[in-house]
């Protein structure tokens, strides 16, 4: 497989190592200082592009790959309000596009357990639910895409919860949104974002009743697991047409 890496930051560098380990060739590396090289001529050398950049640049980068006819795997978070537009463009161009808010196998297992547990809690009732995510200080978006996916999973299985809300009592969120008065938004799942050191990612879903606390937690020990998932997604996407997610890969 010949790969292009778009975004040569923490993830791009880890992906480069794993591509080499798995016998693939990196034929193009595009970062902010050579962003003009992201064009059809340069992309034509690659079978697939792996895009891990910033919330402000991901949409255009993926769009350029799809318009150039290059299969693209993206994991950039914080921009996905426009994801459906790119999925439509991919289908229109008969291209190939894989997106996941989290490429860790363990997190994707957590997504499934999360939905199962939400369905069970929905049946028994009596629990309040909240989500906490902790990431490194450089992370640009909050809440994390993974926390939002967890919230959406609970919402899909629940008759009680109608949406999610940022917990403005977390220091990083102060000022972004006003703290919701507890009584005013009882049907919203609260998501608390914390930023600490170099933490690659910790997600905790907490159910609390009057009598007990039940928690699901996933901790990423090394960023390598995320990069490995993205490279496996690229291998899966090569030669295919269409829009794919981790659910397709895990089947
Ligand atoms: N889906 C997942 O599993 C997963 C895992 C880790 C990180 N992420 C997300 O991936 C993104 C990148 O994470 P990171 O930790 O590598 O961040 P990072 O800040 O270390 O790297 C981002 C890189 O993108 C570059 N960049 C900026 N604008 C660009 C442009 N126009 N063209 C090309 N490159 C450009 C920056 O110079 C930087 O090198 C973030 O949104 C993060 O939340 C997702």
């Amino acid at each position: 497989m010949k790969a292009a890496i778009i975004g040569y930051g923490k993830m791009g560098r880890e992906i480069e190592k794993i591509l080499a380990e798995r016998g693939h060739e990196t034929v193009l590396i595009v970062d902010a200082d050579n962003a003009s090289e992201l064009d059809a001529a340069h992309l034509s050398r690659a079978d697939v592009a792996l895009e891990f950049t910033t919330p402000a640049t991901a949409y255009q980068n993926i769009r350029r790959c799809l318009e150039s006819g290059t299969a693209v795997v993206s994991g950039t978070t914080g921009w996905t309000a426009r994801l459906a537009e790119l999925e439509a463009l991919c289908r229109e161009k008969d291209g190939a596009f894989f997106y996941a808010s989290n490429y860790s196998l363990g997190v994707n297992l957590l997504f499934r357990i999360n939905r199962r547990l939400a369905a069970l809690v929905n049946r028994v009732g009596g629990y309040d639910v909240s989500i906490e995510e902790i990431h490194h200080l450089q992370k640009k978006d909050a809440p994390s895409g993974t926390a939002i996916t967890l919230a959406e999973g609970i919402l899909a299985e629940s008759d009680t919860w109608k949406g999610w809300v940022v917990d403005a009592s977390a220091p990083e969120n102060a000022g972004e949104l006003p703290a919701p008065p507890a009584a005013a938004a009882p049907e919203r799942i609260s998501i608390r974002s914390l930023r600490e050191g170099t933490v690659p990612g910790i997600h905790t879903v907490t159910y609390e009743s009057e009598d007990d606390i039940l928690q699901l937690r996933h901790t990423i020990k090394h960023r390598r697991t995320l990069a490995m998932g993205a490279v496996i997604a690229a291998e899966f996407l090569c030669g295919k047409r269409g829009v794919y997610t981790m659910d397709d890969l895990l089947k």
Side-chain angles (χ1 to χ4, degrees):
M1 186 169 84
K2 291 184 194 309
I5 294 176
I6 309 172
Y8 199 45
K10 290 182 282 301
M11 281 298 287
R13 284 164 204 268
E14 206 64 49
I15 284 169
E16 183 185 31
K17 282 189 226 157
I18 289 171
L19 283 168
E21 279 172 28
R22 292 174 72 91
H24 304 304
E25 190 186 350
T26 298
V27 293
L28 176 68
I29 297 178
V30 180
D31 201 72
D33 55 3
N34 67 334
S36 61
E37 287 186 24
L38 191 66
D39 57 22
H42 285 87
L43 283 169
S44 67
R45 305 207 299 263
D47 301 314
V48 62
L50 293 107
E51 200 276 349
F52 285 78
T53 61
T54 67
T57 55
Y59 175 87
Q60 277 306 332
N61 291 338
I62 299 165
R63 190 173 183 99
R64 209 157 288 167
C65 292
L66 293 172
E67 284 174 342
S68 305
T70 304
V72 56
V73 170
S74 174
T76 307
T77 53
W79 65 276
T80 48
R82 301 188 74 185
L83 181 61
E85 282 177 53
L86 291 179
E87 290 173 346
L89 179 72
C90 175
R91 293 191 179 100
E92 182 193 317
K93 299 270 178 201
D94 196 23
F97 177 31
F98 195 118
Y99 182 80
S101 64
N102 198 306
Y103 281 93
S104 146
L105 173 63
V107 164
N108 282 277
L109 297 177
L110 173 70
F111 287 155
R112 290 178 176 211
I113 296 166
N114 175 56
R115 285 187 69 138
R116 288 283 298 279
L117 182 58
L120 291 170
V121 170
N122 189 51
R123 253 195 272 156
V124 298
Y127 284 88
D128 198 359
V129 65
S130 63
I131 297 171
E132 181 185 85
E133 55 104 349
I134 309 176
H135 280 89
H136 54 84
L137 291 163
Q138 287 80 38
K139 186 164 175 63
K140 292 192 171 67
D141 54 314
S144 67
T146 304
I148 294 171
T149 304
L150 286 167
E152 287 170 346
I154 296 167
L155 293 172
E157 303 294 340
S158 172
D159 302 317
T160 308
W161 310 104
K162 306 294 180 215
W164 57 265
V165 69
V166 170
D167 174 355
S169 70
E172 286 73 12
N173 298 326
E176 271 184 28
L177 285 174
E187 76 286 9
R188 308 234 171 242
I189 302 167
S190 157
I191 306 181
R192 179 175 169 86
S193 299
L194 298 172
R195 297 291 171 260
E196 292 174 12
T198 57
V199 176
I202 302 173
H203 289 87
T204 310
V205 179
T206 301
Y207 287 91
E208 185 162 357
S209 73
E210 280 187 12
D211 300 316
D212 64 352
I213 294 175
L214 172 58
Q215 289 188 313
L216 294 179
R217 171 170 296 164
H218 183 271
T219 302
I220 290 182
K221 290 164 68 181
H222 306 290
R223 188 168 284 107
R224 182 182 159 81
T225 182
L226 299 165
M228 179 66 81
V231 171
I232 290 170
E235 291 167 351
F236 169 88
L237 191 64
C238 266
K240 289 193 176 65
R241 295 277 165 253
V243 174
Y244 298 93
T245 67
M246 288 299 277
D247 277 342
D248 301 301
L249 183 59
L250 293 175
K251 268 182 217 157

